[in-house]
PDB file of all heavy atoms in Angstrom:
ATOM      1  N   GLY J 469      53.772 -75.708 261.470  1.00 88.00           N
ATOM      2  CA  GLY J 469      54.729 -76.498 260.731  1.00 88.00           C
ATOM      3  C   GLY J 469      55.083 -75.964 259.364  1.00 88.00           C
ATOM      4  O   GLY J 469      55.760 -76.631 258.590  1.00 88.00           O
ATOM      5  N   ASP J 470      54.658 -74.754 259.046  1.00 90.00           N
ATOM      6  CA  ASP J 470      54.910 -74.202 257.721  1.00 90.00           C
ATOM      7  C   ASP J 470      54.883 -72.685 257.819  1.00 90.00           C
ATOM      8  O   ASP J 470      53.852 -72.104 258.165  1.00 90.00           O
ATOM      9  CB  ASP J 470      53.850 -74.683 256.737  1.00 90.00           C
ATOM     10  CG  ASP J 470      54.167 -74.311 255.300  1.00 90.00           C
ATOM     11  OD1 ASP J 470      55.037 -73.453 255.085  1.00 90.00           O
ATOM     12  OD2 ASP J 470      53.528 -74.878 254.397  1.00 90.00           O
ATOM     13  N   TYR J 471      56.000 -72.041 257.474  1.00 94.00           N
ATOM     14  CA  TYR J 471      56.057 -70.589 257.562  1.00 94.00           C
ATOM     15  C   TYR J 471      55.112 -69.909 256.572  1.00 94.00           C
ATOM     16  O   TYR J 471      54.820 -68.729 256.688  1.00 94.00           O
ATOM     17  CB  TYR J 471      57.492 -70.102 257.335  1.00 94.00           C
ATOM     18  CG  TYR J 471      58.007 -70.299 255.923  1.00 94.00           C
ATOM     19  CD1 TYR J 471      57.787 -69.341 254.941  1.00 94.00           C
ATOM     20  CD2 TYR J 471      58.727 -71.446 255.590  1.00 94.00           C
ATOM     21  CE1 TYR J 471      58.256 -69.524 253.647  1.00 94.00           C
ATOM     22  CE2 TYR J 471      59.208 -71.627 254.300  1.00 94.00           C
ATOM     23  CZ  TYR J 471      58.967 -70.673 253.332  1.00 94.00           C
ATOM     24  OH  TYR J 471      59.428 -70.841 252.059  1.00 94.00           O
ATOM     25  N   ARG J 472      54.597 -70.661 255.612  1.00 91.00           N
ATOM     26  CA  ARG J 472      53.666 -70.105 254.626  1.00 91.00           C
ATOM     27  C   ARG J 472      52.222 -70.187 255.090  1.00 91.00           C
ATOM     28  O   ARG J 472      51.299 -69.901 254.334  1.00 91.00           O
ATOM     29  CB  ARG J 472      53.813 -70.853 253.301  1.00 91.00           C
ATOM     30  CG  ARG J 472      55.180 -70.715 252.661  1.00 91.00           C
ATOM     31  CD  ARG J 472      55.429 -71.784 251.634  1.00 91.00           C
ATOM     32  NE  ARG J 472      55.439 -73.106 252.261  1.00 91.00           N
ATOM     33  CZ  ARG J 472      55.766 -74.224 251.629  1.00 91.00           C
ATOM     34  NH1 ARG J 472      56.122 -74.174 250.364  1.00 91.00           N
ATOM     35  NH2 ARG J 472      55.750 -75.387 252.254  1.00 91.00           N
ATOM     36  N   TYR J 473      52.038 -70.540 256.320  1.00 86.00           N
ATOM     37  CA  TYR J 473      50.690 -70.742 256.860  1.00 86.00           C
ATOM     38  C   TYR J 473      49.790 -69.528 256.642  1.00 86.00           C
ATOM     39  O   TYR J 473      48.628 -69.656 256.257  1.00 86.00           O
ATOM     40  CB  TYR J 473      50.792 -71.066 258.350  1.00 86.00           C
ATOM     41  CG  TYR J 473      49.463 -71.168 259.032  1.00 86.00           C
ATOM     42  CD1 TYR J 473      48.699 -72.318 258.891  1.00 86.00           C
ATOM     43  CD2 TYR J 473      48.966 -70.126 259.800  1.00 86.00           C
ATOM     44  CE1 TYR J 473      47.471 -72.423 259.505  1.00 86.00           C
ATOM     45  CE2 TYR J 473      47.737 -70.223 260.407  1.00 86.00           C
ATOM     46  CZ  TYR J 473      46.990 -71.374 260.263  1.00 86.00           C
ATOM     47  OH  TYR J 473      45.772 -71.474 260.869  1.00 86.00           O
ATOM     48  N   THR J 474      50.289 -68.341 256.883  1.00 87.00           N
ATOM     49  CA  THR J 474      49.460 -67.145 256.782  1.00 87.00           C
ATOM     50  C   THR J 474      48.884 -66.983 255.381  1.00 87.00           C
ATOM     51  O   THR J 474      47.698 -66.682 255.221  1.00 87.00           O
ATOM     52  CB  THR J 474      50.272 -65.897 257.147  1.00 87.00           C
ATOM     53  OG1 THR J 474      50.718 -66.017 258.486  1.00 87.00           O
ATOM     54  CG2 THR J 474      49.422 -64.645 257.017  1.00 87.00           C
ATOM     55  N   ASP J 475      49.703 -67.184 254.378  1.00 89.00           N
ATOM     56  CA  ASP J 475      49.204 -67.042 253.017  1.00 89.00           C
ATOM     57  C   ASP J 475      48.081 -68.041 252.730  1.00 89.00           C
ATOM     58  O   ASP J 475      47.065 -67.699 252.132  1.00 89.00           O
ATOM     59  CB  ASP J 475      50.350 -67.250 252.016  1.00 89.00           C
ATOM     60  CG  ASP J 475      51.367 -66.134 252.066  1.00 89.00           C
ATOM     61  OD1 ASP J 475      50.990 -65.001 252.403  1.00 89.00           O
ATOM     62  OD2 ASP J 475      52.550 -66.405 251.781  1.00 89.00           O
ATOM     63  N   ARG J 476      48.270 -69.265 253.173  1.00 87.00           N
ATOM     64  CA  ARG J 476      47.251 -70.287 252.942  1.00 87.00           C
ATOM     65  C   ARG J 476      46.003 -70.009 253.765  1.00 87.00           C
ATOM     66  O   ARG J 476      44.876 -70.240 253.311  1.00 87.00           O
ATOM     67  CB  ARG J 476      47.825 -71.663 253.263  1.00 87.00           C
ATOM     68  CG  ARG J 476      48.990 -72.034 252.354  1.00 87.00           C
ATOM     69  CD  ARG J 476      49.654 -73.320 252.781  1.00 87.00           C
ATOM     70  NE  ARG J 476      48.725 -74.451 252.716  1.00 87.00           N
ATOM     71  CZ  ARG J 476      49.065 -75.691 253.051  1.00 87.00           C
ATOM     72  NH1 ARG J 476      50.295 -75.942 253.476  1.00 87.00           N
ATOM     73  NH2 ARG J 476      48.188 -76.670 252.977  1.00 87.00           N
ATOM     74  N   TYR J 477      46.211 -69.524 254.964  1.00 87.00           N
ATOM     75  CA  TYR J 477      45.075 -69.182 255.824  1.00 87.00           C
ATOM     76  C   TYR J 477      44.232 -68.077 255.186  1.00 87.00           C
ATOM     77  O   TYR J 477      43.002 -68.162 255.118  1.00 87.00           O
ATOM     78  CB  TYR J 477      45.581 -68.744 257.190  1.00 87.00           C
ATOM     79  CG  TYR J 477      44.516 -68.130 258.058  1.00 87.00           C
ATOM     80  CD1 TYR J 477      43.602 -68.927 258.729  1.00 87.00           C
ATOM     81  CD2 TYR J 477      44.419 -66.754 258.199  1.00 87.00           C
ATOM     82  CE1 TYR J 477      42.618 -68.371 259.517  1.00 87.00           C
ATOM     83  CE2 TYR J 477      43.445 -66.189 258.979  1.00 87.00           C
ATOM     84  CZ  TYR J 477      42.537 -66.995 259.640  1.00 87.00           C
ATOM     85  OH  TYR J 477      41.572 -66.440 260.413  1.00 87.00           O
ATOM     86  N   LEU J 478      44.881 -67.031 254.705  1.00 90.00           N
ATOM     87  CA  LEU J 478      44.145 -65.923 254.097  1.00 90.00           C
ATOM     88  C   LEU J 478      43.419 -66.374 252.834  1.00 90.00           C
ATOM     89  O   LEU J 478      42.313 -65.902 252.539  1.00 90.00           O
ATOM     90  CB  LEU J 478      45.098 -64.779 253.785  1.00 90.00           C
ATOM     91  CG  LEU J 478      45.709 -64.079 255.006  1.00 90.00           C
ATOM     92  CD1 LEU J 478      46.716 -63.030 254.571  1.00 90.00           C
ATOM     93  CD2 LEU J 478      44.636 -63.468 255.891  1.00 90.00           C
ATOM     94  N   ALA J 479      44.045 -67.272 252.087  1.00 91.00           N
ATOM     95  CA  ALA J 479      43.364 -67.803 250.914  1.00 91.00           C
ATOM     96  C   ALA J 479      42.083 -68.529 251.317  1.00 91.00           C
ATOM     97  O   ALA J 479      41.049 -68.426 250.642  1.00 91.00           O
ATOM     98  CB  ALA J 479      44.295 -68.744 250.152  1.00 91.00           C
ATOM     99  N   ALA J 480      42.134 -69.265 252.423  1.00 93.00           N
ATOM    100  CA  ALA J 480      40.947 -69.964 252.905  1.00 93.00           C
ATOM    101  C   ALA J 480      39.903 -68.986 253.415  1.00 93.00           C
ATOM    102  O   ALA J 480      38.700 -69.181 253.213  1.00 93.00           O
ATOM    103  CB  ALA J 480      41.340 -70.953 254.010  1.00 93.00           C
ATOM    104  N   VAL J 481      40.330 -67.933 254.084  1.00 93.00           N
ATOM    105  CA  VAL J 481      39.390 -66.921 254.569  1.00 93.00           C
ATOM    106  C   VAL J 481      38.607 -66.312 253.415  1.00 93.00           C
ATOM    107  O   VAL J 481      37.394 -66.080 253.500  1.00 93.00           O
ATOM    108  CB  VAL J 481      40.138 -65.815 255.357  1.00 93.00           C
ATOM    109  CG1 VAL J 481      39.241 -64.596 255.578  1.00 93.00           C
ATOM    110  CG2 VAL J 481      40.633 -66.352 256.689  1.00 93.00           C
ATOM    111  N   ARG J 482      39.282 -66.064 252.305  1.00 94.00           N
ATOM    112  CA  ARG J 482      38.616 -65.418 251.176  1.00 94.00           C
ATOM    113  C   ARG J 482      37.508 -66.277 250.578  1.00 94.00           C
ATOM    114  O   ARG J 482      36.641 -65.763 249.867  1.00 94.00           O
ATOM    115  CB  ARG J 482      39.657 -65.059 250.110  1.00 94.00           C
ATOM    116  CG  ARG J 482      40.605 -63.964 250.549  1.00 94.00           C
ATOM    117  CD  ARG J 482      41.381 -63.405 249.367  1.00 94.00           C
ATOM    118  NE  ARG J 482      42.279 -64.386 248.779  1.00 94.00           N
ATOM    119  CZ  ARG J 482      43.554 -64.539 249.150  1.00 94.00           C
ATOM    120  NH1 ARG J 482      44.059 -63.780 250.100  1.00 94.00           N
ATOM    121  NH2 ARG J 482      44.320 -65.440 248.553  1.00 94.00           N
ATOM    122  N   LEU J 483      37.521 -67.574 250.858  1.00 95.00           N
ATOM    123  CA  LEU J 483      36.500 -68.475 250.321  1.00 95.00           C
ATOM    124  C   LEU J 483      35.300 -68.653 251.248  1.00 95.00           C
ATOM    125  O   LEU J 483      34.344 -69.346 250.893  1.00 95.00           O
ATOM    126  CB  LEU J 483      37.121 -69.845 250.033  1.00 95.00           C
ATOM    127  CG  LEU J 483      38.251 -69.870 248.994  1.00 95.00           C
ATOM    128  CD1 LEU J 483      38.793 -71.279 248.849  1.00 95.00           C
ATOM    129  CD2 LEU J 483      37.758 -69.338 247.652  1.00 95.00           C
ATOM    130  N   VAL J 484      35.341 -68.073 252.435  1.00 96.00           N
ATOM    131  CA  VAL J 484      34.250 -68.243 253.398  1.00 96.00           C
ATOM    132  C   VAL J 484      32.979 -67.575 252.872  1.00 96.00           C
ATOM    133  O   VAL J 484      33.003 -66.443 252.384  1.00 96.00           O
ATOM    134  CB  VAL J 484      34.631 -67.651 254.769  1.00 96.00           C
ATOM    135  CG1 VAL J 484      33.438 -67.667 255.721  1.00 96.00           C
ATOM    136  CG2 VAL J 484      35.791 -68.445 255.369  1.00 96.00           C
ATOM    137  N   ARG J 485      31.838 -68.278 252.984  1.00 97.00           N
ATOM    138  CA  ARG J 485      30.547 -67.786 252.515  1.00 97.00           C
ATOM    139  C   ARG J 485      29.583 -67.686 253.698  1.00 97.00           C
ATOM    140  O   ARG J 485      29.823 -68.261 254.765  1.00 97.00           O
ATOM    141  CB  ARG J 485      29.962 -68.736 251.473  1.00 97.00           C
ATOM    142  CG  ARG J 485      30.890 -69.031 250.309  1.00 97.00           C
ATOM    143  CD  ARG J 485      30.232 -69.996 249.338  1.00 97.00           C
ATOM    144  NE  ARG J 485      29.828 -71.222 250.010  1.00 97.00           N
ATOM    145  CZ  ARG J 485      29.079 -72.171 249.417  1.00 97.00           C
ATOM    146  NH1 ARG J 485      28.675 -72.008 248.182  1.00 97.00           N
ATOM    147  NH2 ARG J 485      28.754 -73.260 250.074  1.00 97.00           N
ATOM    148  N   PRO J 486      28.472 -66.993 253.525  1.00 97.00           N
ATOM    149  CA  PRO J 486      27.476 -66.892 254.606  1.00 97.00           C
ATOM    150  C   PRO J 486      27.015 -68.245 255.122  1.00 97.00           C
ATOM    151  O   PRO J 486      26.843 -68.422 256.335  1.00 97.00           O
ATOM    152  CB  PRO J 486      26.335 -66.116 253.945  1.00 97.00           C
ATOM    153  CG  PRO J 486      27.005 -65.266 252.924  1.00 97.00           C
ATOM    154  CD  PRO J 486      28.130 -66.102 252.385  1.00 97.00           C
ATOM    155  N   THR J 487      26.833 -69.213 254.241  1.00 97.00           N
ATOM    156  CA  THR J 487      26.399 -70.533 254.704  1.00 97.00           C
ATOM    157  C   THR J 487      27.441 -71.205 255.580  1.00 97.00           C
ATOM    158  O   THR J 487      27.105 -71.941 256.520  1.00 97.00           O
ATOM    159  CB  THR J 487      26.087 -71.445 253.500  1.00 97.00           C
ATOM    160  OG1 THR J 487      27.230 -71.466 252.613  1.00 97.00           O
ATOM    161  CG2 THR J 487      24.867 -70.948 252.741  1.00 97.00           C
ATOM    162  N   ASP J 488      28.726 -70.941 255.319  1.00 97.00           N
ATOM    163  CA  ASP J 488      29.790 -71.508 256.150  1.00 97.00           C
ATOM    164  C   ASP J 488      29.720 -70.960 257.577  1.00 97.00           C
ATOM    165  O   ASP J 488      29.936 -71.693 258.544  1.00 97.00           O
ATOM    166  CB  ASP J 488      31.159 -71.197 255.552  1.00 97.00           C
ATOM    167  CG  ASP J 488      31.330 -71.763 254.159  1.00 97.00           C
ATOM    168  OD1 ASP J 488      30.839 -72.881 253.919  1.00 97.00           O
ATOM    169  OD2 ASP J 488      31.940 -71.084 253.317  1.00 97.00           O
ATOM    170  N   VAL J 489      29.436 -69.673 257.695  1.00 97.00           N
ATOM    171  CA  VAL J 489      29.349 -69.053 259.016  1.00 97.00           C
ATOM    172  C   VAL J 489      28.183 -69.637 259.801  1.00 97.00           C
ATOM    173  O   VAL J 489      28.316 -69.993 260.984  1.00 97.00           O
ATOM    174  CB  VAL J 489      29.204 -67.523 258.880  1.00 97.00           C
ATOM    175  CG1 VAL J 489      28.972 -66.888 260.255  1.00 97.00           C
ATOM    176  CG2 VAL J 489      30.449 -66.926 258.221  1.00 97.00           C
ATOM    177  N   VAL J 490      27.031 -69.772 259.159  1.00 97.00           N
ATOM    178  CA  VAL J 490      25.874 -70.364 259.837  1.00 97.00           C
ATOM    179  C   VAL J 490      26.160 -71.811 260.221  1.00 97.00           C
ATOM    180  O   VAL J 490      25.798 -72.268 261.311  1.00 97.00           O
ATOM    181  CB  VAL J 490      24.630 -70.264 258.934  1.00 97.00           C
ATOM    182  CG1 VAL J 490      23.456 -71.017 259.572  1.00 97.00           C
ATOM    183  CG2 VAL J 490      24.251 -68.813 258.708  1.00 97.00           C
ATOM    184  N   ASN J 491      26.828 -72.530 259.339  1.00 97.00           N
ATOM    185  CA  ASN J 491      27.137 -73.940 259.632  1.00 97.00           C
ATOM    186  C   ASN J 491      27.993 -74.092 260.876  1.00 97.00           C
ATOM    187  O   ASN J 491      27.755 -74.977 261.707  1.00 97.00           O
ATOM    188  CB  ASN J 491      27.832 -74.588 258.434  1.00 97.00           C
ATOM    189  CG  ASN J 491      26.890 -74.827 257.273  1.00 97.00           C
ATOM    190  OD1 ASN J 491      25.667 -74.836 257.454  1.00 97.00           O
ATOM    191  ND2 ASN J 491      27.439 -75.017 256.084  1.00 97.00           N
TER     192      ASN J 491
END
Side-chain angles (χ1 to χ4, degrees):
D470 188 345
Y471 68 87
R472 297 162 297 187
Y473 175 78
T474 299
D475 292 331
R476 297 173 62 181
Y477 169 79
L478 293 176
V481 166
R482 292 194 294 269
L483 299 178
V484 173
R485 306 179 304 172
T487 53
D488 300 322
V489 174
V490 174
N491 288 341

